[in-house]
Amino acid sequence: MAKRKAAVSVRECVACGCCMKVCPRNAITVPNGLHATINRELCVGCGKCVKECPASIISLEVADS
Amino acid sequence: MNEKKKWYDYLWAVSLTYLILGFFNILFAWLGLLCFFIPLLIAIVKGNKAYCNKYCGRGQLFSLIGGRFGLSRKKDMPKWMKSNYFRYGFLAFFFIMFFLMLWNTWLVFSGAKNLGAVVTLLWTFRLPWHWTYHGTLFSDGVAQFAFGFYSVMLTSTVLGFFTMILFKPRSWCVYCPMGTMTQLICKAKAPKEG
């Protein structure tokens, strides 16, 4: 089965960091206060950030590799 | 979700205390300036949104009440509300109202106007709040600023509370003027992305 990973709609991200707080793998950072960035190596696609994001702009997408 | 809670995970208690203190002595409202200067300083000096990301007590309060206590529908917020038009428009509106408040403070300082011991909720409803003021050693303008600033803080909390109930717990973060402003500063400061 294809693995799914969190993906952020960078343009709409307000960089609040709510996703970062709930990530059980510490896979999310907000570098330079611009937008959330997800470390795909660490992401296990649990979807906690998807639920938490107040702007609802994170989704789970099938990873290419 | 870091396993161990850090000291700053309890700043929601500070935010709550601030709101409560305003019901007893309005001069405490001045402390709210910290919520303005700290995020701005972090954004200007460090170039990040660590304030939003870690320290914001109001955000924590909303995620506690809306998330942990479940006082939130946890629905998606409408598209227009997270658009840049709305975010920047709300920031501009906030700025205008803030400067009107400063102007009003100045009028009381200069003696052109008498102190209005009211808290104006949602820029409209003037609530009597006189029991929180017993005089100061300085000008009444000091108190006027406190009433005005507390109005800003209470209004934004009430707005955030409503959107917390209607949408996600921390919906306020999407259109928070401080958040929008610090993100703009960060965008201006950050090295260009490819």
Side-chain angles (χ1 to χ4, degrees), chain B residues 36 58 88-100 123 151-153 155-157 159 172 175-178 181:
Chain B
F36 273 57
R58 173 176 303 185
Y88 296 148
F90 190 67
L91 174 64
F93 175 70
F94 223 78
F95 255 113
I96 294 168
M97 298 318 272
F98 197 81
F99 280 109
L100 283 179
W123 307 281
S151 302
V152 171
M153 297 299 271
T155 295
S156 49
T157 307
L159 279 179
W172 167 253
Y175 62 100
C176 168
M178 288 314 297
M181 206 173 355

Coordinates of all heavy atoms in Angstrom, one line a residue, chain B residues 36 58 88-100 123 151-153 155-157 159 172 175-178 181:
Chain B
F36 N 2.5 42.4 22.5 CA 2.8 43.1 21.3 C 4.3 43.2 21.0 O 4.7 42.9 19.9 CB 2.2 44.6 21.4 CG 0.8 44.7 21.0 CD1 -0.2 43.9 21.7 CD2 0.4 45.5 20.0 CE1 -1.5 44.0 21.3 CE2 -1.0 45.6 19.6 CZ -1.9 44.8 20.3
R58 N -2.4 32.9 24.5 CA -3.8 32.9 24.0 C -4.1 31.7 23.1 O -5.1 31.1 23.2 CB -4.0 34.2 23.2 CG -5.4 34.2 22.6 CD -5.7 35.4 21.9 NE -5.6 36.5 22.8 CZ -6.0 37.8 22.5 NH1 -6.4 38.0 21.3 NH2 -5.9 38.8 23.4
Y88 N -5.0 40.6 5.7 CA -4.4 42.0 5.7 C -5.4 43.1 6.0 O -5.1 44.1 6.6 CB -3.7 42.2 4.3 CG -2.5 41.2 4.1 CD1 -2.2 40.8 2.8 CD2 -1.8 40.7 5.1 CE1 -1.2 39.9 2.6 CE2 -0.7 39.9 4.9 CZ -0.4 39.4 3.6 OH 0.6 38.5 3.5
G89 N -6.6 42.8 5.5 CA -7.7 43.8 5.8 C -7.9 43.9 7.3 O -8.1 45.0 7.8
F90 N -8.0 42.8 8.0 CA -8.2 42.8 9.4 C -7.0 43.4 10.1 O -7.3 44.2 11.1 CB -8.4 41.3 9.9 CG -8.9 41.2 11.3 CD1 -10.2 41.7 11.6 CD2 -8.1 40.7 12.3 CE1 -10.6 41.6 12.9 CE2 -8.5 40.6 13.6 CZ -9.8 41.1 13.9
L91 N -5.8 43.2 9.7 CA -4.7 43.8 10.2 C -4.8 45.4 10.1 O -4.5 46.1 11.1 CB -3.4 43.3 9.5 CG -2.1 44.0 9.9 CD1 -1.7 43.8 11.4 CD2 -0.9 43.5 9.1
A92 N -5.2 45.8 8.9 CA -5.3 47.2 8.7 C -6.4 47.8 9.6 O -6.2 48.9 10.2 CB -5.6 47.5 7.2
F93 N -7.5 47.1 9.7 CA -8.6 47.6 10.5 C -8.1 47.7 12.0 O -8.4 48.7 12.7 CB -9.8 46.6 10.4 CG -10.9 46.9 11.3 CD1 -11.7 48.0 11.1 CD2 -11.2 46.1 12.4 CE1 -12.8 48.3 12.0 CE2 -12.2 46.3 13.3 CZ -13.0 47.4 13.1
F94 N -7.4 46.7 12.4 CA -6.9 46.7 13.8 C -6.0 47.8 14.0 O -6.0 48.5 15.1 CB -6.1 45.3 14.0 CG -6.4 44.7 15.3 CD1 -7.6 44.0 15.5 CD2 -5.5 44.8 16.4 CE1 -7.9 43.4 16.7 CE2 -5.8 44.3 17.6 CZ -7.0 43.6 17.7
F95 N -5.1 48.1 13.0 CA -4.2 49.3 13.1 C -5.0 50.6 13.3 O -4.6 51.4 14.2 CB -3.3 49.4 11.9 CG -1.9 48.9 12.1 CD1 -1.5 47.8 11.5 CD2 -1.1 49.6 12.9 CE1 -0.2 47.3 11.7 CE2 0.2 49.2 13.1 CZ 0.7 48.0 12.5
I96 N -6.0 50.8 12.5 CA -6.8 52.0 12.5 C -7.4 52.2 13.9 O -7.3 53.2 14.5 CB -7.8 52.0 11.4 CG1 -7.2 52.1 10.0 CG2 -8.8 53.2 11.6 CD1 -8.1 51.8 8.9
M97 N -8.0 51.1 14.4 CA -8.7 51.1 15.7 C -7.7 51.4 16.8 O -8.0 52.1 17.7 CB -9.5 49.9 15.9 CG -10.6 49.6 15.0 SD -11.6 51.0 14.5 CE -12.8 51.1 15.7
F98 N -6.5 50.8 16.6 CA -5.5 51.0 17.6 C -5.0 52.5 17.7 O -4.8 53.0 18.7 CB -4.3 50.1 17.3 CG -3.3 49.9 18.5 CD1 -3.7 49.0 19.5 CD2 -2.2 50.6 18.6 CE1 -2.8 48.8 20.5 CE2 -1.3 50.5 19.7 CZ -1.6 49.6 20.6
F99 N -4.9 53.1 16.5 CA -4.4 54.5 16.5 C -5.5 55.4 17.0 O -5.2 56.4 17.7 CB -3.9 54.9 15.1 CG -2.5 54.4 14.9 CD1 -2.2 53.4 14.0 CD2 -1.5 54.9 15.6 CE1 -0.9 52.9 13.8 CE2 -0.2 54.5 15.4 CZ 0.1 53.5 14.5
L100 N -6.8 55.1 16.7 CA -7.9 55.8 17.3 C -7.8 55.8 18.8 O -8.1 56.8 19.5 CB -9.2 55.3 16.8 CG -9.6 55.7 15.4 CD1 -11.0 55.0 15.0 CD2 -9.7 57.2 15.2
W123 N -15.6 47.0 19.3 CA -15.5 48.4 18.8 C -16.9 49.1 18.9 O -17.1 50.1 18.3 CB -15.0 48.4 17.4 CG -13.7 47.7 17.3 CD1 -12.5 48.2 17.6 CD2 -13.5 46.4 16.8 NE1 -11.5 47.3 17.4 CE2 -12.1 46.1 16.9 CE3 -14.3 45.4 16.3 CZ2 -11.5 44.9 16.5 CZ3 -13.7 44.2 16.0 CH2 -12.3 44.0 16.1
S151 N -9.7 46.9 26.1 CA -10.8 46.7 25.1 C -10.3 45.9 23.9 O -11.0 45.0 23.4 CB -11.3 48.1 24.6 OG -11.7 48.9 25.7
V152 N -9.1 46.3 23.4 CA -8.5 45.6 22.3 C -8.3 44.1 22.6 O -8.7 43.2 21.9 CB -7.1 46.2 21.9 CG1 -6.4 45.3 20.9 CG2 -7.3 47.6 21.4
M153 N -7.7 43.9 23.8 CA -7.4 42.5 24.2 C -8.7 41.7 24.4 O -8.8 40.5 24.0 CB -6.6 42.5 25.5 CG -5.3 43.1 25.4 SD -4.2 42.3 24.2 CE -3.4 41.1 25.2
T155 N -11.7 42.3 23.2 CA -12.4 42.1 21.9 C -11.8 41.0 21.1 O -12.5 40.1 20.6 CB -12.3 43.4 21.1 OG1 -13.1 44.4 21.8 CG2 -12.9 43.3 19.7
S156 N -10.4 41.0 21.0 CA -9.8 40.0 20.2 C -10.0 38.6 20.8 O -10.1 37.6 20.1 CB -8.3 40.3 20.0 OG -7.7 40.6 21.2
T157 N -10.0 38.5 22.2 CA -10.3 37.2 22.8 C -11.7 36.7 22.5 O -11.9 35.6 22.2 CB -10.1 37.3 24.3 OG1 -8.8 37.9 24.6 CG2 -10.2 36.0 25.0
L159 N -13.6 37.5 19.9 CA -13.6 37.1 18.5 C -13.0 35.7 18.4 O -13.5 34.8 17.7 CB -12.8 38.1 17.6 CG -13.5 39.4 17.2 CD1 -12.6 40.2 16.4 CD2 -14.8 39.1 16.4
W172 N -8.3 31.6 15.5 CA -7.8 33.0 15.7 C -6.5 33.2 15.1 O -6.2 34.2 14.5 CB -7.8 33.3 17.2 CG -7.1 34.6 17.6 CD1 -5.9 34.7 18.2 CD2 -7.5 35.9 17.3 NE1 -5.5 36.0 18.3 CE2 -6.5 36.8 17.7 CE3 -8.6 36.5 16.7 CZ2 -6.6 38.2 17.6 CZ3 -8.7 37.9 16.6 CH2 -7.7 38.7 17.0
Y175 N -6.2 34.7 11.5 CA -6.4 36.1 11.2 C -5.9 37.0 12.4 O -6.1 38.2 12.3 CB -7.8 36.4 10.9 CG -8.8 36.1 12.0 CD1 -9.3 37.1 12.8 CD2 -9.3 34.8 12.2 CE1 -10.2 36.8 13.8 CE2 -10.2 34.5 13.2 CZ -10.6 35.5 14.0 OH -11.5 35.3 15.0
C176 N -5.1 36.4 13.3 CA -4.5 37.2 14.4 C -3.6 38.3 13.8 O -2.7 38.0 13.0 CB -3.7 36.4 15.3 SG -2.7 37.3 16.5
P177 N -3.9 39.6 14.1 CA -3.1 40.7 13.5 C -1.6 40.6 13.9 O -0.8 40.9 13.0 CB -3.7 42.0 14.1 CG -5.1 41.6 14.5 CD -5.0 40.1 14.9
M178 N -1.3 40.1 15.1 CA 0.1 40.0 15.5 C 0.7 38.9 14.6 O 1.9 39.1 14.2 CB 0.2 39.7 16.9 CG -0.1 40.8 17.9 SD 0.6 42.4 17.5 CE 2.3 42.0 17.6
M181 N 1.3 40.2 11.1 CA 2.3 41.2 11.1 C 3.7 40.5 11.2 O 4.6 40.8 10.5 CB 2.1 42.2 12.3 CG 2.7 43.5 12.0 SD 2.4 44.8 13.2 CE 1.3 44.2 14.4

